[in-house]
């Protein structure tokens, strides 16, 4: 039996915003600033971010050498079932969605008997733009 979740106007606004920014890691404050004109409160943002994280639709990311916590929405179509690359300098996220990536995941499963959880797998490094 599936429980239906009451969806508030603030949650809808937050989800719409997150769906429009699937490749970004965003702080709660940045989200609040972006939704200020929509009258979405900071407490509603924190409450909904926590719920979305519990539902597996959001990933919490702690930045290296910073106390800032950011979030990435994982339920947008471009993000679902993809491995991710994350730049440690600019925070931009890239999707790994090539035949080679799918082959790698398949080989890990076949050879090592290990199934990769794509929603939890992020490879960290420095993107091409930041290296220049």
């Amino acid at each position: 039996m599936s429980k239906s979740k009451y969806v508030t106007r603030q949650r809808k606004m937050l989800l719409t915003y997150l769906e429009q920014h699937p490749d970004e890691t965003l702080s709660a404050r940045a989200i609040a600033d972006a939704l200020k004109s929509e009258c979405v409160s900071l407490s509603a943002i924190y409450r909904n971010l926590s719920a979305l994280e519990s539902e597996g639709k959001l990933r919490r990311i702690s930045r290296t050498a910073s106390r800032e916590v950011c979030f990435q929405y994982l339920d947008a179509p471009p993000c679902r079932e993809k491995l991710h690359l994350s730049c440690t300098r600019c925070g931009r996220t890239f999707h790994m969605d090539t035949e080679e990536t799918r082959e790698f995941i398949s080989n890990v499963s076949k050879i090592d008997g290990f199934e990769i959880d794509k929603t939890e797998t992020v490879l960290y490094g420095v993107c091409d733009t930041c290296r220049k």
Side-chain angles (χ1 to χ4, degrees), residues 13 30 41 48 56 83 85 100 113 117 119 126:
M13 297 301 301
S41 70
N48 282 290
L83 294 181
L85 300 172
E100 290 80 11
D117 180 351
T119 62
V126 180

Side-chain angles (χ1 to χ4, degrees), residues 47-61:
R47 184 174 51 258
N48 282 290
L49 290 175
S50 179
L52 289 167
E53 184 180 11
S54 295
E55 294 166 20
K57 295 180 179 184
L58 197 72
R59 176 183 318 144
R60 176 187 298 257
I61 300 165

